Amino acid sequence: MTMRSRQTGGHTIDVLFPLAVFFAFAASAVMAILLAANIYSSAVTGSERMYNASTALSYIREKVHQNDTVGAVQIEQLEGIDVLILKQTYNEQAYRTYIYAWDGGLRELFSREDLPFDPDNGRYLLDIRGFACKKVSEQLLEVQCIDSDGGELKACIALFSSEGDA
């Protein structure tokens, strides 16, 4: 073997080795980017689900506190669903605000007291799968929201007025 053929063979390896290292690095970088994008996507999706459920609970808590007067907060089963009912009076006319889960979302319906409840008429607020509400005591409500993947969030809401306050 001559000196020239050894140099040619060495030259091929000198070119192929850095190319192989470069392609290995490029493949690793693409894999890392794809993995990071998947992790980010999962985090955003989870955050959005939790946002909807926690925002729903915050919204309900605020509505209850705004209407926290004696006898104004009730829980009933209407049309087979749990409904939080908030009673108000404007210009000597009785009104009700119904808060409930229907057709994949938290809904609110504001209507006169003498009109029938129709869950399809409520205004869509947020994506949630389910909603439950119960009175734990005379001055404490427990509200539960179920997000689109079945995750549950609960909150207890204190009522500052009660039937005993009248």
Side-chain angles (χ1 to χ4, degrees), residues 30-95:
V30 168
M31 295 277 286
I33 289 170
L34 290 175
L35 182 62
N38 189 26
I39 290 171
Y40 177 76
S41 175
S42 297
V44 167
T45 301
S47 176
E48 184 177 295
R49 279 193 331 267
M50 291 303 290
Y51 169 80
N52 283 343
S54 64
T55 302
L57 288 175
S58 295
Y59 179 79
I60 293 164
R61 181 182 299 119
E62 186 61 30
K63 292 296 278 189
V64 167
H65 286 163
Q66 288 174 356
N67 293 282
D68 188 3
T69 58
V70 175
V73 179
Q74 293 183 337
I75 301 163
E76 292 184 24
Q77 280 267 327
L78 300 173
E79 304 291 326
I81 56 175
D82 282 348
V83 180
L84 177 63
I85 302 171
L86 307 171
K87 296 179 178 182
Q88 304 97 14
T89 302
Y90 299 106
N91 296 328
E92 298 180 19
Q93 175 67 49
Y95 291 90

Side-chain angles (χ1 to χ4, degrees), residues 105-163:
L106 182 69
R107 294 184 179 239
E108 178 183 81
L109 175 63
F110 179 77
S111 71
R112 286 193 338 238
E113 187 175 46
D114 59 339
L115 296 176
F117 172 74
D118 182 358
D120 289 325
N121 290 338
R123 184 174 54 119
Y124 173 86
L125 300 174
L126 290 164
D127 284 338
I128 63 168
R129 183 188 294 175
F131 167 76
C133 192
K134 67 179 180 179
K135 266 196 171 180
V136 177
S137 70
E138 186 62 34
Q139 291 187 290
L140 189 63
L141 295 178
E142 181 182 271
V143 180
Q144 174 186 20
C145 287
I146 301 170
D147 67 26
S148 57
D149 283 346
E152 298 178 10
L153 279 179
K154 289 184 181 181
C156 288
I157 303 172
L159 299 175
F160 297 106
S161 64
S162 67
E163 296 299 327

